[in-house]
Amino acid sequence: MAAPTSNDLICFTNCFLPQEDGGLIEKDLWIDERRGVILDAQRTFFLRKERPNTIIDLGGNVLSPGFIDIQINGGFGFDFSVYEGDDQTYRDGLKLVAEKIVETGVTALVPTIITQETTLYPKLLDLLRPWSPPHAAHLLGWHAEGPFLQMSKRGAHSPALIISASEGFKTFESIYSPENLADAEDWLMSGDTVHNTVGVRIITAAPEVEGVMEAINEASKRGICFNIGHSMATTDIATAAVRNGARCITHLFNAMPQLHHRDPSIIGLLGASPYLSPSSSSTFLPFPSAIISALNASMHSLPITKEPSIDHISEALDEIKTPPQTPMLLAEQALRKSLLPTGKSTASPGSAVITAIPLGSGQSSESRLKKDLTTIPFDRPFYEIIVDGIHSHPNSVRLAYSAHPDGCILITDAMKILDPHLKDGVHDWRDGRRFYKEGDALYVEGTTTLAGSVVTLDKCVRNFVRYTGCSIGQAIKCATYNPARCLNIENKKGTLRAGADADLAVLDHQGNVLSTWVKGKMVWARK
């Protein structure tokens, strides 16, 4: 009798598998090590009439899809936003981060670059095309955070580099280059990308900035995930941005207006109804062009103060302090003045209501809008959140998750200093400065000024369980399936579906990473 032949099938057994609804079930998982994909065990056995030669007993631990970090600025000493003129040096830095980050359970990431000199964007975005170095996490593409940001919510982005999009999407093309903004299929095929590679592009911009609202729809049609961030958008503007195609909110709570009960702004999108409808005390503008113009016109007069001790802070945090609702109120006042000849205001003095622009004769604009809007479905956007206990208070994290659990995406927004082995204390930074690390917080030496995030994504998952009271399975969903769904790659990443890439993280039930697998091969294991 012939000896049994070996095959490339692996069966993980005695393990719990996270489900797309956040649950955990005890079940085996089969993968094809050679092809690097997850298999349908029943179908594979029926067609191939064989069982896996390799059986791996996981001892009752959790076998999760690998984590996906869609906003990370660098790590292990390399900054994605710094290009020193040599392509190979830059790619070596990318490879270093991809190789080392698997220790944190991350098997895919979207390198993020903050606001740059405009001449650098074409080069950086081309270097950040999708790439899968061997035995390392997948580099999925790029996240351009800036330069179309609101000056008053710029965080650590250089004010001299922030611009408007005066010609709408044409300005986006002139900055990022047309090749980098091509239709998704053309973009993936234009380089030396391997067939079937997953590739994503994300742009963070403020929809109230001139020309941005008009660019959202075109960017979305080309397969680019458009994020609202570093913005002072009112509720009406933020809602219009989502209707135009904006899909996600960048680092929720940070670099945006605080929640206000009369105008909840960007944060309020988490509580939006599945159908648009006018409130009992106000009517809506069909398109917020007039609000945007008034908002931009009012920005120069905002009362701005700066803490005397702060000279640099986290990219996500606000460097400039503004009253949470001042821009909205100023915009409303300016808009009222511009509409007085043709519009009627029914608001009492000081109330935060913006009147509707008459749409023509016959039926009143208010009744027509009510009739139209009550039948318009509205999908709430996804939202990123940094769960390090510093950028957002645990109560705020729980509040957001309670309002919109299916939209929650955990991110690190980590800086180049990210390294789980970096000890607390004083370390060299850049430009002759040094920083002091204390746990997950980084401070400019000798100050209380935050210098960014160094939290890892697996730590975010563990924190999330503690802050929200959710299960480990629900927390895993926010670092796997939700980001994949936001980027429309859930058939390949962030899931245990048959046919998806076998990118896996083995966790204990507290969320500690025990081993990481990429394309069916183990790339890291705890010693």
mmCIF file of all heavy atoms in Angstrom, residues 82-103:
data_model
loop_
_atom_site.group_PDB
_atom_site.id
_atom_site.type_symbol
_atom_site.label_atom_id
_atom_site.label_comp_id
_atom_site.label_asym_id
_atom_site.label_seq_id
_atom_site.Cartn_x
_atom_site.Cartn_y
_atom_site.Cartn_z
ATOM 1 N N VAL A 82 8.531 61.113 6.251
ATOM 2 C CA VAL A 82 9.871 61.653 6.011
ATOM 3 C C VAL A 82 10.524 60.930 4.831
ATOM 4 O O VAL A 82 10.745 59.710 4.882
ATOM 5 C CB VAL A 82 10.762 61.524 7.268
ATOM 6 C CG1 VAL A 82 12.184 61.982 6.960
ATOM 7 C CG2 VAL A 82 10.169 62.336 8.413
ATOM 8 N N TYR A 83 10.813 61.692 3.780
ATOM 9 C CA TYR A 83 11.505 61.151 2.602
ATOM 10 C C TYR A 83 12.811 61.925 2.447
ATOM 11 O O TYR A 83 12.811 63.145 2.322
ATOM 12 C CB TYR A 83 10.635 61.302 1.355
ATOM 13 C CG TYR A 83 11.304 60.869 0.080
ATOM 14 C CD1 TYR A 83 11.582 59.528 -0.162
ATOM 15 C CD2 TYR A 83 11.680 61.812 -0.887
ATOM 16 C CE1 TYR A 83 12.199 59.124 -1.336
ATOM 17 C CE2 TYR A 83 12.296 61.422 -2.065
ATOM 18 C CZ TYR A 83 12.556 60.079 -2.283
ATOM 19 O OH TYR A 83 13.178 59.675 -3.449
ATOM 20 N N GLU A 84 13.920 61.205 2.469
ATOM 21 C CA GLU A 84 15.231 61.853 2.452
ATOM 22 C C GLU A 84 15.911 61.757 1.096
ATOM 23 O O GLU A 84 17.142 61.863 0.995
ATOM 24 C CB GLU A 84 16.112 61.256 3.553
ATOM 25 C CG GLU A 84 15.535 61.510 4.956
ATOM 26 C CD GLU A 84 16.352 60.860 6.058
ATOM 27 O OE1 GLU A 84 17.026 59.827 5.769
ATOM 28 O OE2 GLU A 84 16.321 61.374 7.187
ATOM 29 N N GLY A 85 15.119 61.541 0.053
ATOM 30 C CA GLY A 85 15.662 61.591 -1.299
ATOM 31 C C GLY A 85 16.083 60.269 -1.887
ATOM 32 O O GLY A 85 16.519 60.217 -3.044
ATOM 33 N N ASP A 86 15.971 59.176 -1.124
ATOM 34 C CA ASP A 86 16.397 57.871 -1.631
ATOM 35 C C ASP A 86 15.255 56.877 -1.538
ATOM 36 O O ASP A 86 14.794 56.547 -0.434
ATOM 37 C CB ASP A 86 17.601 57.364 -0.831
ATOM 38 C CG ASP A 86 18.146 56.057 -1.388
ATOM 39 O OD1 ASP A 86 18.854 56.096 -2.401
ATOM 40 O OD2 ASP A 86 17.831 55.004 -0.801
ATOM 41 N N ASP A 87 14.808 56.372 -2.679
ATOM 42 C CA ASP A 87 13.661 55.457 -2.719
ATOM 43 C C ASP A 87 13.924 54.172 -1.941
ATOM 44 O O ASP A 87 13.058 53.680 -1.216
ATOM 45 C CB ASP A 87 13.306 55.107 -4.163
ATOM 46 C CG ASP A 87 12.717 56.281 -4.924
ATOM 47 O OD1 ASP A 87 12.708 57.401 -4.373
ATOM 48 O OD2 ASP A 87 12.280 56.082 -6.068
ATOM 49 N N GLN A 88 15.126 53.622 -2.091
ATOM 50 C CA GLN A 88 15.422 52.343 -1.450
ATOM 51 C C GLN A 88 15.436 52.483 0.065
ATOM 52 O O GLN A 88 14.953 51.604 0.789
ATOM 53 C CB GLN A 88 16.756 51.795 -1.938
ATOM 54 C CG GLN A 88 17.043 50.369 -1.481
ATOM 55 C CD GLN A 88 15.954 49.397 -1.913
ATOM 56 O OE1 GLN A 88 15.575 49.347 -3.093
ATOM 57 N NE2 GLN A 88 15.412 48.620 -0.971
ATOM 58 N N THR A 89 15.962 53.599 0.561
ATOM 59 C CA THR A 89 15.975 53.834 2.011
ATOM 60 C C THR A 89 14.553 53.903 2.546
ATOM 61 O O THR A 89 14.248 53.356 3.617
ATOM 62 C CB THR A 89 16.720 55.146 2.332
ATOM 63 O OG1 THR A 89 18.077 55.025 1.888
ATOM 64 C CG2 THR A 89 16.695 55.444 3.827
ATOM 65 N N TYR A 90 13.678 54.550 1.783
ATOM 66 C CA TYR A 90 12.279 54.658 2.205
ATOM 67 C C TYR A 90 11.619 53.283 2.221
ATOM 68 O O TYR A 90 10.931 52.919 3.173
ATOM 69 C CB TYR A 90 11.526 55.612 1.277
ATOM 70 C CG TYR A 90 10.147 55.979 1.782
ATOM 71 C CD1 TYR A 90 9.958 57.035 2.670
ATOM 72 C CD2 TYR A 90 9.021 55.257 1.377
ATOM 73 C CE1 TYR A 90 8.700 57.379 3.139
ATOM 74 C CE2 TYR A 90 7.759 55.581 1.844
ATOM 75 C CZ TYR A 90 7.606 56.644 2.714
ATOM 76 O OH TYR A 90 6.345 56.965 3.186
ATOM 77 N N ARG A 91 11.839 52.495 1.170
ATOM 78 C CA ARG A 91 11.237 51.162 1.115
ATOM 79 C C ARG A 91 11.805 50.250 2.209
ATOM 80 O O ARG A 91 11.085 49.411 2.758
ATOM 81 C CB ARG A 91 11.447 50.534 -0.267
ATOM 82 C CG ARG A 91 10.534 51.129 -1.326
ATOM 83 C CD ARG A 91 10.758 50.501 -2.694
ATOM 84 N NE ARG A 91 10.349 49.106 -2.752
ATOM 85 C CZ ARG A 91 9.111 48.687 -2.998
ATOM 86 N NH1 ARG A 91 8.134 49.566 -3.172
ATOM 87 N NH2 ARG A 91 8.842 47.399 -3.072
ATOM 88 N N ASP A 92 13.064 50.433 2.530
ATOM 89 C CA ASP A 92 13.652 49.657 3.625
ATOM 90 C C ASP A 92 12.952 49.992 4.948
ATOM 91 O O ASP A 92 12.737 49.106 5.788
ATOM 92 C CB ASP A 92 15.146 49.945 3.746
ATOM 93 C CG ASP A 92 15.957 49.320 2.617
ATOM 94 O OD1 ASP A 92 15.422 48.442 1.904
ATOM 95 O OD2 ASP A 92 17.129 49.728 2.439
ATOM 96 N N GLY A 93 12.615 51.272 5.123
ATOM 97 C CA GLY A 93 11.891 51.681 6.324
ATOM 98 C C GLY A 93 10.504 51.072 6.381
ATOM 99 O O GLY A 93 10.055 50.610 7.441
ATOM 100 N N LEU A 94 9.812 51.041 5.243
ATOM 101 C CA LEU A 94 8.492 50.409 5.177
ATOM 102 C C LEU A 94 8.596 48.928 5.549
ATOM 103 O O LEU A 94 7.775 48.404 6.317
ATOM 104 C CB LEU A 94 7.911 50.541 3.772
ATOM 105 C CG LEU A 94 7.488 51.924 3.285
ATOM 106 C CD1 LEU A 94 7.074 51.863 1.812
ATOM 107 C CD2 LEU A 94 6.335 52.465 4.126
ATOM 108 N N LYS A 95 9.590 48.269 4.983
ATOM 109 C CA LYS A 95 9.781 46.839 5.229
ATOM 110 C C LYS A 95 10.060 46.580 6.711
ATOM 111 O O LYS A 95 9.540 45.614 7.296
ATOM 112 C CB LYS A 95 10.925 46.320 4.366
ATOM 113 C CG LYS A 95 11.186 44.822 4.438
ATOM 114 C CD LYS A 95 12.191 44.422 3.347
ATOM 115 C CE LYS A 95 12.487 42.925 3.393
ATOM 116 N NZ LYS A 95 13.380 42.571 4.503
ATOM 117 N N LEU A 96 10.870 47.438 7.329
ATOM 118 C CA LEU A 96 11.186 47.289 8.748
ATOM 119 C C LEU A 96 9.923 47.333 9.598
ATOM 120 O O LEU A 96 9.714 46.482 10.473
ATOM 121 C CB LEU A 96 12.150 48.403 9.177
ATOM 122 C CG LEU A 96 12.440 48.478 10.679
ATOM 123 C CD1 LEU A 96 13.331 47.326 11.111
ATOM 124 C CD2 LEU A 96 13.081 49.818 11.043
ATOM 125 N N VAL A 97 9.065 48.322 9.351
ATOM 126 C CA VAL A 97 7.827 48.439 10.121
ATOM 127 C C VAL A 97 6.946 47.211 9.886
ATOM 128 O O VAL A 97 6.392 46.636 10.836
ATOM 129 C CB VAL A 97 7.073 49.731 9.751
ATOM 130 C CG1 VAL A 97 5.738 49.795 10.492
ATOM 131 C CG2 VAL A 97 7.915 50.961 10.082
ATOM 132 N N ALA A 98 6.814 46.795 8.618
ATOM 133 C CA ALA A 98 5.952 45.651 8.285
ATOM 134 C C ALA A 98 6.444 44.364 8.951
ATOM 135 O O ALA A 98 5.648 43.521 9.361
ATOM 136 C CB ALA A 98 5.884 45.474 6.766
ATOM 137 N N GLU A 99 7.756 44.210 9.072
ATOM 138 C CA GLU A 99 8.317 42.998 9.685
ATOM 139 C C GLU A 99 8.121 42.989 11.199
ATOM 140 O O GLU A 99 7.854 41.942 11.792
ATOM 141 C CB GLU A 99 9.809 42.899 9.361
ATOM 142 C CG GLU A 99 10.099 42.542 7.922
ATOM 143 C CD GLU A 99 11.584 42.619 7.585
ATOM 144 O OE1 GLU A 99 12.332 43.269 8.347
ATOM 145 O OE2 GLU A 99 11.976 42.039 6.553
ATOM 146 N N LYS A 100 8.272 44.134 11.809
ATOM 147 C CA LYS A 100 8.241 44.186 13.272
ATOM 148 C C LYS A 100 6.834 44.295 13.846
ATOM 149 O O LYS A 100 6.564 43.838 14.954
ATOM 150 C CB LYS A 100 9.107 45.354 13.765
ATOM 151 C CG LYS A 100 10.600 45.109 13.610
ATOM 152 C CD LYS A 100 11.418 46.214 14.225
ATOM 153 C CE LYS A 100 12.908 45.855 14.250
ATOM 154 N NZ LYS A 100 13.205 44.758 15.181
ATOM 155 N N ILE A 101 5.916 44.902 13.114
ATOM 156 C CA ILE A 101 4.596 45.178 13.683
ATOM 157 C C ILE A 101 3.757 43.920 13.863
ATOM 158 O O ILE A 101 2.769 43.919 14.608
ATOM 159 C CB ILE A 101 3.852 46.213 12.811
ATOM 160 C CG1 ILE A 101 2.797 46.936 13.656
ATOM 161 C CG2 ILE A 101 3.235 45.556 11.571
ATOM 162 C CD1 ILE A 101 2.228 48.173 13.006
ATOM 163 N N VAL A 102 4.136 42.812 13.219
ATOM 164 C CA VAL A 102 3.368 41.567 13.357
ATOM 165 C C VAL A 102 3.356 41.078 14.803
ATOM 166 O O VAL A 102 2.459 40.331 15.204
ATOM 167 C CB VAL A 102 3.900 40.468 12.413
ATOM 168 C CG1 VAL A 102 3.664 40.845 10.957
ATOM 169 C CG2 VAL A 102 5.385 40.201 12.661
ATOM 170 N N GLU A 103 4.333 41.501 15.589
ATOM 171 C CA GLU A 103 4.359 41.124 17.004
ATOM 172 C C GLU A 103 3.112 41.625 17.738
ATOM 173 O O GLU A 103 2.706 41.052 18.748
ATOM 174 C CB GLU A 103 5.610 41.711 17.665
ATOM 175 C CG GLU A 103 5.718 41.443 19.149
ATOM 176 C CD GLU A 103 6.950 42.075 19.777
ATOM 177 O OE1 GLU A 103 7.868 42.463 19.024
ATOM 178 O OE2 GLU A 103 6.984 42.172 21.011
#
